[in-house]
Amino acid sequence: MAKRKVPSLSTAHSEEDSSSDSDTDMLDVEFEWFDPQPKVDFHGLKTLLRQLLDVDSQLVDTSALADLILAQPLLGSTVKVDGNETDPYAFLSVINLQEHKEKPVVKALIDYIVRQASTNPALSLVVDLLKTPNNTTVGLILTERLVNIPSEVVPPMYRMLLEEISWAIEEKEPYNFSHYLIISKTYQEVSSMLDTGGDRPQKKKKKEDNKQVFYFHPEDEVLHRHAVAHGDYTYIKEEAEGQADAKRAFQDLGVKPQGHMILLEASEGEATVKALEDFLRPA
């Protein structure tokens, strides 16, 4: 049985249609929220984890990470459209970094987070909490969804997570967190390599230090308002040449993803989720 069902949300898909000025159609889709299913969700979760971590997913054992998420099936959610036996379109879960720090996948993940956070002074508190966790317990929130899945599916996942953590604490399980660390992604528009080829005039390059940052996840803008720290970091692995053009968002520009972290105090959980619900309330 689904944890929750929303009658319909609009999701976009594109079609080439020369007879219309718009190439985007809207579909009404019924989404359902489920507990993670170890026998069903492994490959879907692994795909979403690779998408979340982008090129640096090569540095993380995403199979072991998916297994760890599925080992706590009463915590976190998946979002599906065709019943519980299908692949998830989105997921959200939390991992106790202190509780699982001796597991190889978590140890490698902590090392990766500390290394990346150390490159941005705005994330110095993340480094401090993970390197010297005195009386603090950090819950790592991992969440991702397929492209074109509406952001309105996100607030119910956060709401249910807070409820599940509360129930787990009542059962003396190790989920009494002091902080939540969310791994996310942002991107910048970059000059297309295609502009330099053929007879097409080359576009003027933007100044490197004045590039605007865009969100893959619109909810991150709300999370920032309640965060004690947030910031971007450059991926360790480099994209293949021309990969930004494969992710072109606009005709003249490529897309360069980068990692993003958001650190929240657990005491802000209720206010943060309420703000997400207000911001992403279905029309």
Side-chain angles (χ1 to χ4, degrees):
M1 182 180 293
K3 299 168 79 172
R4 179 171 173 174
K5 181 183 292 186
V6 171
S8 63
L9 291 174
S10 294
T11 183
H13 80 286
S14 297
E15 285 186 355
E16 296 295 330
D17 186 354
S18 58
S19 62
S20 172
D21 292 333
S22 174
D23 60 358
T24 301
D25 294 333
M26 302 302 294
L27 298 176
D28 285 336
V29 178
E30 186 177 84
F31 293 99
E32 295 179 278
W33 285 255
F34 294 94
D35 292 324
Q37 302 295 313
K39 294 182 179 180
V40 177
D41 294 335
F42 173 78
H43 293 291
L45 285 183
K46 185 174 177 180
T47 296
L48 289 169
L49 287 168
R50 284 175 171 173
Q51 178 179 306
L52 173 63
L53 299 172
D54 209 274
V55 290
D56 278 0
S57 64
Q58 303 169 60
L59 304 174
V60 177
D61 186 347
T62 51
S63 293
L65 191 54
D67 281 335
L68 182 56
I69 292 170
L70 292 170
Q72 44 186 34
L74 298 182
L75 203 65
S77 301
T78 60
V79 179
K80 302 181 180 184
V81 297
D82 293 316
N84 200 12
E85 299 303 310
T86 59
D87 286 338
Y89 284 35
F91 86 99
L92 183 146
S93 189
V94 63
I95 294 172
N96 187 328
L97 293 181
Q98 275 68 38
E99 179 74 11
H100 298 291
K101 63 183 179 181
E102 298 304 323
K103 289 184 170 63
V105 63
V106 174
K107 185 178 185 302
L109 198 53
I110 292 173
D111 290 344
Y112 171 81
I113 291 170
V114 169
R115 175 179 176 179
Q116 296 301 80
S118 298
T119 66
N120 186 340
L123 296 172
S124 60
L125 183 56
V126 174
V127 178
D128 293 341
L129 287 173
L130 294 183
K131 291 187 73 173
T132 55
N134 297 322
N135 300 316
T136 59
T137 305
V138 178
L140 177 66
I141 291 180
L142 299 170
T143 181
E144 184 59 293
R145 56 188 179 270
L146 297 180
V147 176
N148 288 341
I149 297 301
S151 52
E152 285 85 355
V153 305
V154 171
M157 291 197 291
Y158 274 102
R159 172 59 63 191
M160 287 183 281
L161 182 68
L162 284 189
E163 293 172 353
E164 290 158 353
I165 288 175
S166 177
W167 299 333
I169 292 173
E170 290 178 2
E171 297 297 323
K172 309 299 183 183
E173 295 185 25
Y175 297 107
N176 193 7
F177 300 114
S178 62
H179 296 79
Y180 296 114
L181 177 62
I182 302 168
I183 300 296
S184 189
K185 295 169 63 176
T186 58
Y187 69 92
Q188 295 177 335
E189 295 171 1
V190 296
S191 298
S192 171
M193 290 183 62
L194 301 179
D195 292 340
T196 61
D199 297 326
R200 187 174 180 178
Q202 186 171 353
K203 304 293 183 181
K204 292 183 179 179
K205 293 184 178 179
K206 292 182 179 180
K207 292 183 178 180
E208 291 296 323
D209 59 353
N210 194 33
K211 286 182 177 178
Q212 185 176 356
V213 174
F214 298 89
Y215 300 108
F216 281 111
H217 300 153
E219 64 270 20
D220 288 357
E221 187 174 0
V222 177
L223 295 173
H224 286 176
R225 300 172 195 164
H226 297 266
V228 291
H230 61 84
D232 298 308
Y233 58 89
T234 302
Y235 289 128
I236 296 172
K237 291 287 186 178
E238 294 185 0
E239 288 189 323
E241 186 174 339
Q243 187 66 25
D245 285 317
K247 301 175 181 177
R248 288 166 72 103
F250 306 100
Q251 182 177 359
D252 294 327
L253 296 171
V255 171
K256 182 179 181 182
Q258 57 192 3
H260 189 69
M261 297 184 202
I262 305 170
L263 183 68
L264 300 163
E265 291 183 343
S267 60
E268 282 291 304
E270 178 61 35
T272 302
V273 172
K274 181 63 168 61
L276 286 174
E277 291 170 335
D278 292 341
F279 181 71
L280 296 172
R281 193 178 304 278

